[in-house]
């Protein structure tokens, strides 16, 4: 039951990180337009490289290490200070690199400086500690106030395309304030240590090993926007960013469970309880299939009507982009489950690095060709193909250690049948209802009901025994 609670807390937290741009998208898309939204996404993609350098692989590494010793306060405190000091050093180095970059790059300089608040915010990020001790509640409740405040500020202060710098400062500044407000929760959980007793640099090598795949991952997550801005247009970046934001929000709902299970599985691996590891992973994949299949088909069904209503007629092309990109919800959810729940806890860094390098290289190479001929559609297709390659590689790796067929495809056919029934129902009801935002919401509600009814008829155990689904 604790895992389900942590899942919902973490899902709420992850959605919270996206909820402000999602709630403001109808307003911002009309206020800033494709050009302004594209400018924000383009400058944000540039800043993300420096944030990645500052974070190194500390978020994943820190939560994993804390999970190993979560019941030992002294060791836990020592680890926290060693990793925190190391992070301050890496963020300082990333800041120096940013200053050098801005000395030679003048385009959008002031917007990039405004975006740099996210780099400063990363120095104060201690969410990895709370993930390691399986405490997600504090993070959610603390940050929700910050996100609501930023939402109010956006509607109050952003009124035209010229207010883009205000929009950037609000979003990046809210991240900074949110991270700072988490720090007081640490006081009773950790002890202070004499810096002379800390061994900071022993963490550098494993952190770099985790940084390399994260760097590759970031490349194939962000490079599309950077390459689109260079090879096509800033407006195309706005279209791509809108599609990707909505897909990533749907993905967040599914993949939040992986972050919750990682510390639990890390602890089980440390104790050598591999039977429980496989059991948890099997249930995790069933939960992923339960959510991702209907979300994927639901996006395809409602996008043509929903996107023009939500973003405006200028963004109508985004509906087609979402239809093409929607399988990514299932593909990335599987990939995240394998990496976060097995490869990282089991310290299989080589396989993890290989998977991300495959994704990064394939995405860049396919983008070079596809963007040149198909513009923003090419960038979406490149994303889809690279995710297929990554997922295929990870499945092949897992086949050497676990019963992949039983683990990934447990009750898969039932969720597939229920999702197809829901999809067909949505297509029919879509033609009968008018084109309003209320009719779309009604479609979504009715489709969810149909999906759950179909699952109950098929007697899916996740619904019939949901309270104890993740119990030992």
């Amino acid at each position: 039951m604790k895992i389900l609670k942590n899942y919902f807390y973490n899902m709420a937290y992850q959605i919270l990180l996206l909820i402000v741009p999602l709630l403001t998208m109808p307003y911002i898309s009309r206020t800033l337009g494709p050009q302004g939204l594209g400018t924000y996404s383009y400058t944000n993609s540039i800043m993300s490289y420096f944030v990645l350098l500052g974070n190194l692989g500390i978020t994943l590494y820190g939560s994993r290490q804390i999970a190993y010793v979560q019941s030992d306060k002294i060791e836990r405190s020592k680890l926290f200070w060693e990793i925190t000091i190391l992070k301050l050093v890496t963020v300082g180095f990333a800041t120096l690199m940013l200053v050098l970059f801005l000395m030679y790059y003048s385009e959008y300089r002031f917007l990039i400086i405004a975006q740099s608040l996210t780099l400063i915010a990363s120095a104060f990020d201690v969410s990895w500690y709370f993930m390691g001790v399986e405490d997600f509640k504090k993070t959610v409740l603390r940050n929700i106030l910050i996100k609501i405040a930023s939402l109010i500020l956006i509607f109050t202060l952003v009124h035209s395309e010229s207010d883009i710098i205000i929009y950037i400062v609000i979003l990046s500044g809210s991240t900074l304030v949110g991270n700072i407000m988490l720090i007081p929760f640490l006081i009773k959980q950790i002890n202070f240590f004499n810096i002379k007793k800390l061994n900071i640099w022993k963490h550098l090598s494993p952190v770099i090993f985790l940084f390399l795949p994260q760097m590759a991952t970031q490349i194939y997550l962000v490079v599309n926007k950077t390459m689109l801005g260079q090879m096509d247009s800033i407006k195309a970046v706005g279209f791509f960013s809108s599609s990707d934001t909505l897909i990533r929000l749907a993905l967040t709902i599914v993949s939040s469970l992986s972050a919750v299970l990682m510390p639990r599985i890390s602890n089980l691996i440390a104790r050598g309880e591999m039977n429980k590891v496989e059991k948890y992973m099997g249930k995790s994949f069933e939960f992923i299939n339960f959510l991702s299949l209907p979300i994927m088909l639901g996006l395809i069904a409602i996008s043509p009507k929903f996107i023009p209503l939500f973003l405006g007629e200028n963004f109508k092309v985004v509906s087609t982009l979402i239809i093409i990109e929607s399988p990514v919800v299932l593909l990335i959810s599987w990939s995240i489950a394998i990496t976060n729940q097995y490869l990282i806890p089991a310290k299989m860094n080589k396989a993890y690095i290989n998977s991300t390098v495959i994704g990064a290289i394939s995405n860049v190479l396919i983008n070079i060709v596809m963007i040149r001929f198909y513009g923003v559609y090419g960038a979406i297709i490149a994303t889809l193909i690279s995710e297929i390659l990554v997922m295929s590689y990870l499945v092949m790796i897992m086949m050497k250690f676990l019963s992949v067929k039983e683990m990934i495809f447990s009750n898969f056919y039932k969720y597939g049948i229920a999702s197809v029934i829901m999809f067909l129902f949505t297509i029919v009801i879509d033609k009968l209802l008018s084109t309003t935002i209320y009719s779309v919401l009604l479609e979504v509600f009715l489709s969810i009901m149909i999906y759950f009814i179909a699952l109950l008829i098929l007697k899916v155990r996740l619904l019939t025994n949901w309270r104890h689904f993740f119990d030992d």
Side-chain angles (χ1 to χ4, degrees):
M1 192 64 182
K2 181 181 179 182
I3 290 177
L4 280 177
K5 288 181 179 178
N6 280 338
Y7 164 72
F8 286 116
Y9 280 129
N10 190 54
M11 181 181 70
Y13 173 63
Q14 296 298 326
I15 291 176
L16 205 57
L17 298 179
L18 291 171
I19 205 68
V20 170
L22 179 67
L23 290 178
T24 55
M25 277 180 75
Y27 177 74
I28 290 299
S29 63
R30 291 165 173 81
T31 303
L32 299 183
Q35 185 73 20
L37 195 58
T39 302
Y40 165 77
S41 299
Y42 180 66
T43 55
N44 183 257
S45 72
I46 293 174
M47 180 51 57
S48 66
Y49 300 120
F50 295 98
V51 172
L52 177 68
L53 179 61
N55 284 329
L56 224 57
I58 289 172
T59 300
L60 286 174
Y61 175 78
S63 62
R64 185 186 71 185
Q65 296 305 111
I66 292 293
Y68 289 149
V69 296
Q70 57 183 237
S71 59
D72 186 339
K73 185 177 182 181
I74 294 176
E75 187 62 28
R76 195 176 71 220
S77 301
K78 186 172 181 288
L79 269 172
F80 171 80
W81 287 114
E82 288 173 344
I83 293 171
T84 296
I85 293 171
L86 177 61
K87 189 172 188 180
L88 292 174
V89 172
T90 59
V91 171
F93 177 73
T95 302
L96 177 61
M97 293 297 100
L98 175 62
V99 171
L100 293 175
F101 172 76
L102 291 175
M103 290 174 62
Y104 297 97
Y105 185 83
S106 58
E107 189 178 18
Y108 304 117
R109 178 178 292 166
F110 290 110
L111 297 182
I112 293 174
I113 291 173
Q115 296 270 15
S116 68
L117 283 174
T118 56
L119 178 58
I120 299 172
S122 66
F124 296 92
D125 181 20
V126 291
S127 61
W128 52 271
Y129 171 83
F130 292 102
M131 288 173 61
V133 296
E134 299 187 67
D135 184 356
F136 296 86
K137 182 178 180 179
K138 291 184 178 66
T139 307
V140 173
L141 298 180
R142 198 69 170 183
N143 278 278
I144 195 168
L145 298 175
I146 298 298
K147 294 302 179 182
I148 291 173
S150 62
L151 183 65
I152 294 170
L153 288 172
I154 287 172
F155 285 115
T156 304
L157 301 177
V158 180
H159 303 295
S160 66
E161 190 172 339
S162 61
D163 292 331
I164 184 172
I165 193 164
I166 298 175
Y167 178 64
I168 290 173
V169 169
I170 291 171
L171 291 183
S172 55
S174 67
T175 303
L176 173 60
V177 175
N179 287 348
I180 292 174
M181 292 180 72
L182 275 176
I183 294 175
F185 288 113
L186 293 167
I187 294 174
K188 294 183 179 180
Q189 298 200 28
I190 58 171
N191 298 328
F192 288 96
F193 265 84
N194 187 327
I195 193 170
K196 294 181 181 179
K197 296 182 179 180
L198 301 177
N199 188 356
I200 299 166
W201 303 112
K202 74 175 182 180
H203 302 289
L204 184 60
S205 178
V207 160
I208 290 175
F209 270 111
L210 284 177
F211 166 70
L212 294 175
Q214 282 189 312
M215 178 179 66
T217 300
Q218 190 73 357
I219 287 174
Y220 77 83
L221 285 177
V222 179
V223 75
N224 310 68
K225 299 172 187 177
T226 309
M227 293 180 72
L228 268 174
Q230 293 291 324
M231 298 175 64
D232 196 311
S233 66
I234 293 298
K235 185 179 288 188
V237 178
F239 294 141
F240 178 90
S241 177
S242 299
S243 172
D244 206 49
T245 298
L246 292 170
I247 291 291
R248 299 289 164 179
L249 178 63
L251 179 62
T252 298
I253 298 172
V254 182
S255 62
S256 293
L257 184 66
S258 294
V260 170
L261 283 177
M262 187 177 74
R264 175 67 60 92
I265 291 177
S266 296
N267 196 264
L268 290 173
I269 289 175
R271 301 203 309 254
E273 300 183 36
M274 298 308 296
N275 288 335
K276 286 188 176 181
V277 169
E278 187 159 345
K279 187 197 76 170
Y280 274 118
M281 289 197 66
K283 291 185 176 183
S284 173
F285 273 102
E286 181 168 351
F287 195 79
I288 287 170
N289 296 334
F290 159 70
L291 290 176
S292 60
L293 287 171
I295 288 175
M296 179 180 71
L297 292 177
L299 286 170
I300 294 173
I302 70 168
S303 289
K305 179 181 288 186
F306 173 68
I307 294 303
L309 290 169
F310 186 64
L311 299 178
E313 289 294 329
N314 289 336
F315 287 81
K316 198 170 183 178
V317 65
V318 174
S319 61
T320 305
L321 300 181
I322 287 177
I323 290 172
I324 299 171
E325 193 179 3
S326 61
V328 163
V329 175
L330 179 64
L331 295 170
I332 296 184
S333 295
W334 282 359
S335 298
I336 290 175
I338 293 173
T339 55
N340 284 11
Q341 293 175 33
Y342 191 79
L343 297 187
I344 293 174
K347 299 183 180 180
M348 295 177 62
N349 294 330
K350 183 178 179 181
Y352 180 32
I353 291 172
N354 288 343
S355 69
T356 54
V357 169
I358 288 171
I361 293 176
S362 62
N363 197 27
V364 170
L365 293 177
I366 298 169
N367 266 320
I368 291 173
V369 177
M370 299 300 286
I371 291 177
R372 188 178 302 278
F373 290 101
Y374 303 106
V376 67
Y377 295 101
I380 292 291
I381 294 170
T383 298
L384 181 59
I385 295 175
S386 63
E387 293 299 344
I388 291 173
L389 294 174
V390 170
M391 188 272 295
S392 300
Y393 171 78
L394 290 171
V395 168
M396 286 190 293
I397 292 296
M398 289 297 291
M399 289 174 67
K400 299 177 182 179
F401 304 98
L402 300 172
S403 303
V404 172
K405 184 177 180 180
E406 292 80 5
M407 187 177 68
I408 294 181
F409 295 102
S410 177
N411 282 326
F412 183 88
Y413 76 96
K414 292 185 179 180
Y415 299 116
I417 291 170
S419 298
V420 170
I421 292 171
M422 180 210 72
F423 174 76
L424 295 174
F425 172 83
T426 308
I427 293 297
V428 171
I429 201 72
D430 183 76
K431 297 182 183 300
L432 299 176
L433 295 177
S434 59
T435 307
T436 66
I437 194 67
Y438 299 107
S439 65
V440 172
L441 292 175
L442 179 60
E443 282 183 39
V444 172
F445 175 76
L446 293 175
S447 298
I448 292 173
M449 294 297 294
I450 290 295
Y451 179 64
F452 275 88
I453 290 171
L455 290 181
L456 288 172
I457 293 172
L458 293 168
K459 297 181 180 179
V460 172
R461 62 173 179 168
L462 196 154
L463 292 186
T464 57
N465 193 30
W466 67 273
R467 285 183 177 272
H468 305 287
F469 186 72
F470 284 106
D471 289 349
D472 290 340

